Amino acid sequence: MDVTDDTPQASAPSTTATERASPEVCRRLRFITVIATFGGLLFGYDTGVISGALPFMALSPEEGGLGLTPLTEGVVASSLVLGAAFGALFGGRLCDRYGRKRTILGLAVLFFVGALGTALAPDLVVMVLFRVLLGLAVGGASATVPVFIAELAPAERRGRLVTQNELMIVTGQLLAYTSNAVMAQTMGEGGVWRWMLAIATVPAVLLWFGMLFVPESPRWLASRGRFDDAARTLGRIRDAHVVDAEFAEIKRRVTADAHEPRAGRRDLGTPWVRRIVIFGFGLAALTQLTGVNSIMYFAPTILLDTGLGTQAALTATIANGVVAVLAVSTGMWLLGRYGRRPMLLTGQAGVTVSLLLIAFCFLVLPESTARSYLVLASMLTFLLFMQGGIATVFWLMLAEIFPLRLRGFAMGIAVFGTWTANFVVTLAFPPLIDAIGGATFLIFAAINAVTLAYYMRTVPETRGRSMEAIESHFRRRFAT
């Protein structure tokens, strides 16, 4: 499927256009973005915290752990991912039906219950059940929060505001790595993993209360025929001189779709919709097949295999979180200067080379402290390209390419692809690294080389267009 845009692109938004927003409007948009992206923070913390908890959960019950084996470690880690896959599907449908705001409020409750349940789990079965529940919240947030922010953001600021969610995801992971290392050092072994998991209840409470003060998406309100509410909401987050034009564009699109039935599987029979959804699903799945979460979830396990001790491995893993935050911050800055497509291709090439370097360190170099830190350096290089290029662009493109009428439904399908691929990688990685060691990273490198070739042929450019203009473009291009 070739979706490369060979039509002239809209020019990048000018600085003047960005500066037209008043300080009050900018402040409101920042507040909404910060509150909504607490869902991203929880996403990051809940996926990252398991990397530090697993070594302690592997201890025997007498020592305060759950007696996990390499296989059950994979089950515990991947159970959240399995729940997230279905959370994305259901979350996408719920946010179309009940609204972005109410869906995020419900997800905040799931985050709280899931975090508390995993922290108090008495055995493996209960742990897995609550990890699945927590995964439903993570998947729902990953499908809903980027769409919510994209629909609230003006076109010239959409890239920066949507990628704020990715920054919060990696910030959550950094908080997880840091708190893991601190608690492991100060609280000793035993049941320390329970405190690691329990911390996530705090941002869940903040998300729920904060969302009470956030408006609903004006685009969703318009899609439900609530045009007066949509206009009022748009007036709160735009300056008066741009409201009428943007509202008219939204209303035209909604009116054009008014005769269409409720979004669902039947829409996949429409050629242009099917091709967009297939592209989004592929982009989502291939992003996870980079192997990023083998590093984010199992970084201490990888470093333990190189010869580092448990505490040293946990401390070294903090560097992963720091680099991820710096990379996403840099990626957000680069988005204002370069298109989505070149950033994605550069990131994909970088992760492929980095995986080859990790494999080289494992397979060629003898075990030593130097090898351990060379593996860590290669992991950090991987994260630099992954988080600064691929991840920054990936969530943004998914949030902006789907048509309004079925945005939640299509986003849910695409993010289902993310978490399905994530589940396969997370479940397979511990047994693979145990069986074939560093050769595991050669498998990931081969997958990423093929992915790079695919992206060079298929990835479109969406920079500088309103969401309605993007939809109109794809309707024309894939009409047959």
Side-chain angles (χ1 to χ4, degrees):
M1 177 188 63
D2 187 357
V3 297
T4 304
D5 187 2
D6 55 6
T7 59
Q9 294 296 309
S11 59
S14 66
T15 304
T16 303
T18 303
E19 290 174 349
R20 282 202 297 265
S22 67
E24 177 64 19
V25 166
C26 291
R27 184 189 65 79
R28 289 174 184 169
L29 286 170
R30 282 195 299 270
F31 173 78
I32 292 168
T33 302
V34 168
I35 293 300
T37 55
F38 266 98
L41 184 77
L42 283 157
F43 174 167
Y45 189 90
D46 287 323
T47 54
V49 70
I50 199 66
S51 67
L54 283 176
F56 298 101
M57 293 166 70
L59 298 174
S60 67
E62 292 75 19
E63 296 173 297
L66 295 178
L68 301 184
T69 65
L71 176 60
T72 53
E73 284 185 19
V75 170
V76 168
S78 63
S79 56
L80 180 144
V81 180
L82 179 63
F86 291 98
L89 278 180
F90 294 124
R93 297 302 297 266
L94 289 172
C95 80
D96 273 347
R97 180 173 299 181
Y98 299 109
R100 300 9 175 171
K101 176 177 176 175
R102 280 195 285 179
T103 299
I104 295 173
L105 282 167
L107 293 172
V109 176
L110 281 184
F111 272 121
F112 181 85
V113 174
L116 191 62
T118 56
L120 299 176
D123 54 39
L124 175 64
V125 173
V126 176
M127 170 61 70
V128 170
L129 288 175
F130 276 102
R131 287 277 292 174
V132 170
L133 182 64
L134 195 56
L136 292 174
V138 170
S142 65
T144 304
V145 172
V147 165
F148 179 60
I149 298 171
E151 290 184 344
L152 286 165
E156 70 273 7
R157 299 188 64 193
R158 189 173 64 240
R160 183 169 185 83
L161 291 179
V162 174
T163 52
Q164 181 74 33
N165 189 57
E166 176 63 21
L167 180 61
M168 290 290 268
I169 291 172
V170 295
T171 299
Q173 290 170 335
L174 174 59
L175 289 173
Y177 300 149
T178 304
S179 62
N180 284 348
V182 170
M183 283 190 282
Q185 180 68 39
T186 59
M187 299 175 67
E189 296 184 355
V192 65
W193 59 270
R194 297 186 184 276
W195 291 103
M196 294 175 177
L197 300 178
I199 289 177
T201 57
V202 177
V205 172
L206 294 176
L207 173 63
W208 192 87
F209 278 106
M211 285 300 297
L212 296 176
F213 301 96
V214 168
E216 180 57 89
S217 159
R219 286 175 166 84
W220 180 82
L221 290 169
S223 73
R224 311 304 285 186
R226 297 167 58 182
F227 292 111
D228 290 342
D229 291 337
R232 279 193 294 271
T233 300
L234 202 61
R236 293 174 58 189
I237 57 175
R238 298 286 190 276
D239 288 316
H241 65 277
V242 300
V243 169
D244 289 344
E246 185 170 351
F247 179 71
E249 187 177 17
I250 294 170
K251 190 171 182 179
R252 277 196 302 271
R253 173 51 55 204
V254 171
T255 302
D257 290 340
H259 66 283
E260 300 285 351
R262 192 175 68 186
R265 288 189 296 272
R266 67 173 67 88
D267 290 287
L268 299 179
T270 304
W272 75 273
V273 172
R274 182 173 62 251
R275 293 177 71 178
I276 287 292
V277 172
I278 290 173
F279 170 74
F281 184 92
L283 177 66
L286 291 171
T287 297
Q288 299 307 313
L289 292 179
T290 56
V292 57
N293 288 313
S294 66
I295 290 175
M296 299 307 286
Y297 298 169
F298 299 107
T301 303
I302 295 169
L303 294 173
L304 285 170
D305 286 346
T306 68
L308 283 185
T310 300
Q311 185 59 46
L314 287 173
T315 303
T317 303
I318 296 174
N320 283 1
V322 172
V323 168
V325 170
L326 293 176
V328 173
S329 300
T330 302
M332 292 171 66
W333 178 78
L334 291 173
L335 272 176
R337 288 152 180 80
Y338 302 98
R340 280 59 155 156
R341 178 181 165 86
M343 287 186 63
L344 186 64
L345 295 179
T346 301
Q348 192 64 43
V351 300
T352 303
V353 173
S354 300
L355 288 164
L356 290 172
L357 289 174
I358 296 174
F360 173 82
C361 292
F362 269 103
L363 299 176
V364 177
L365 301 181
E367 183 175 318
S368 64
T369 302
R371 185 182 76 158
S372 298
Y373 287 103
L374 283 172
V375 169
L376 177 61
S378 300
M379 289 165 58
L380 297 179
T381 304
F382 173 97
L383 290 174
L384 183 66
F385 285 102
M386 177 68 204
Q387 304 291 9
I390 298 173
T392 302
V393 173
F394 153 64
W395 288 110
L396 172 58
M397 288 194 72
L398 286 188
E400 63 188 8
I401 64 174
F402 298 123
L404 173 60
R405 192 178 66 81
L406 45 78
R407 186 165 291 144
F409 170 72
M411 184 73 165
I413 292 176
V415 179
F416 177 78
T418 294
W419 292 108
T420 301
N422 193 339
F423 172 74
V424 172
V425 171
T426 306
L427 183 62
F429 184 78
L432 273 175
I433 200 74
D434 188 54
I436 63 175
T440 303
F441 297 100
L442 286 179
I443 297 174
F444 284 126
I447 293 171
N448 279 277
V450 174
T451 299
L452 176 60
Y454 170 73
Y455 283 169
M456 291 178 70
R457 189 174 68 87
T458 62
V459 172
E461 182 59 71
T462 57
R463 183 179 179 228
R465 294 181 171 187
S466 70
M467 298 180 80
E468 289 70 34
I470 293 170
E471 177 178 343
S472 295
H473 164 73
F474 282 119
R475 279 177 176 266
R476 291 191 304 271
R477 189 170 182 82
F478 298 147
T480 57

